[in-house]
Amino acid sequence: MIAVLIGLSPVLAFGAFALVTHVRANRLTILDMTADTPESKRSKRRVPVDAVVLHQMSFSRGSDPTRYRKVTAHFIVLPDGTVAQLHPMSARLSASDGFNSRSVAIEFAGNLQSAKGTWWKPDVYGRDVLTPAQVESGRLLLRRLRSAGIRRVYAHRQSSASRGNDPGPEIWAAVGQWGIDVLGMSDGGHDYAIDSGSPVPSAWRTYSVHT
């Protein structure tokens, strides 16, 4: 079906069908949860989608997708590699600050460390690591979105001063930078940020992720 939809705009292509999921033999299956999530989070898009914004949740509730219904993201990637679509791509979500109007938000479950080896409130939210299954699913999802015409991949920190470790070095190195190096996507360049955000740190681009 993706081959048929590549010629459409990303909003039309993915608004037409919902992309939680398991990866088998490099194939991505996406669970449609769009009927079970709050419509109050959605507003109408007025510009085309041209970007993906990567996030970490800073918490994990395991791999049961029904425990993440209230997460504000188009897609979630859970520790066992499950991928779910919570909201249609045709919906604008308040997920990524200045990128909201033009982007699709992907949230990875976990409270993941910074490049300095620290975690946010670890006594409350734990010390998680990005799993190999999340890396594989995240890459397959990014590849699918790239095939639908989306050419940019951003870190949430690039649009918000309060999101300095979002998505963090593990997600960026394993998925975001991979999208740049392998899929030919762009994050706007080494100095790119908008509003109060900050560029992607150089340390994130070469961070070693054990998968």
Side-chain angles (χ1 to χ4, degrees):
M1 188 170 187
I2 189 67
V4 175
L5 293 171
I6 286 175
L8 300 177
S9 74
V11 170
L12 290 176
F14 285 91
F17 73 105
L19 298 181
V20 159
T21 279
H22 297 282
V23 179
R24 294 188 181 92
N26 292 324
R27 294 172 58 188
L28 184 66
T29 306
I30 301 177
L31 176 66
D32 176 12
M33 294 179 61
T34 57
D36 302 319
T37 54
E39 292 187 15
S40 59
K41 290 179 177 285
R42 307 170 189 170
S43 60
K44 185 177 180 180
R45 287 199 191 273
R46 302 190 183 279
V47 297
V49 174
D50 70 351
V52 173
V53 179
L54 302 181
H55 303 254
Q56 65 157 304
M57 295 182 193
S58 296
F59 67 86
S60 177
R61 296 173 183 157
S63 294
D64 178 356
T66 64
R67 302 185 69 192
Y68 296 89
R69 288 192 180 103
K70 294 184 179 180
V71 171
T72 305
H74 294 89
F75 299 95
I76 55 174
V77 183
L78 305 185
D80 69 349
T82 292
V83 176
Q85 184 171 5
L86 302 185
H87 298 279
M89 284 182 55
S90 56
R92 179 188 182 277
L93 303 178
S94 295
S96 307
D97 293 281
F99 293 134
N100 286 337
S101 295
R102 52 186 284 220
S103 70
V104 172
I106 302 176
E107 285 271 10
F108 290 77
N111 187 31
L112 305 175
Q113 65 183 315
S114 70
K116 296 180 180 180
T118 59
W119 286 261
W120 182 66
K121 296 184 178 180
D123 293 340
V124 177
Y125 297 105
R127 295 174 174 84
D128 297 311
V129 295
L130 190 68
T131 68
Q134 284 179 299
V135 172
E136 184 175 9
S137 291
R139 288 177 174 180
L140 288 170
L141 177 56
L142 194 62
R143 184 185 291 277
R144 181 172 291 191
L145 295 171
R146 176 66 183 87
S147 295
I150 296 178
R151 299 178 179 274
R152 300 184 182 276
V153 58
Y154 297 128
H156 190 185
R157 68 169 276 135
Q158 288 177 271
S159 64
S160 175
S162 66
R163 295 293 186 267
N165 194 45
D166 196 5
E170 292 175 88
I171 294 170
W172 188 260
V175 181
Q177 191 64 39
W178 176 87
I180 294 169
D181 296 340
V182 175
L183 303 181
M185 301 180 80
S186 172
D187 65 353
H190 284 249
D191 297 322
Y192 182 73
I194 64 170
D195 301 332
S196 65
S198 300
V200 173
S202 297
W204 285 18
R205 299 182 185 280
T206 57
Y207 192 82
S208 179
V209 179
H210 300 289
T211 60

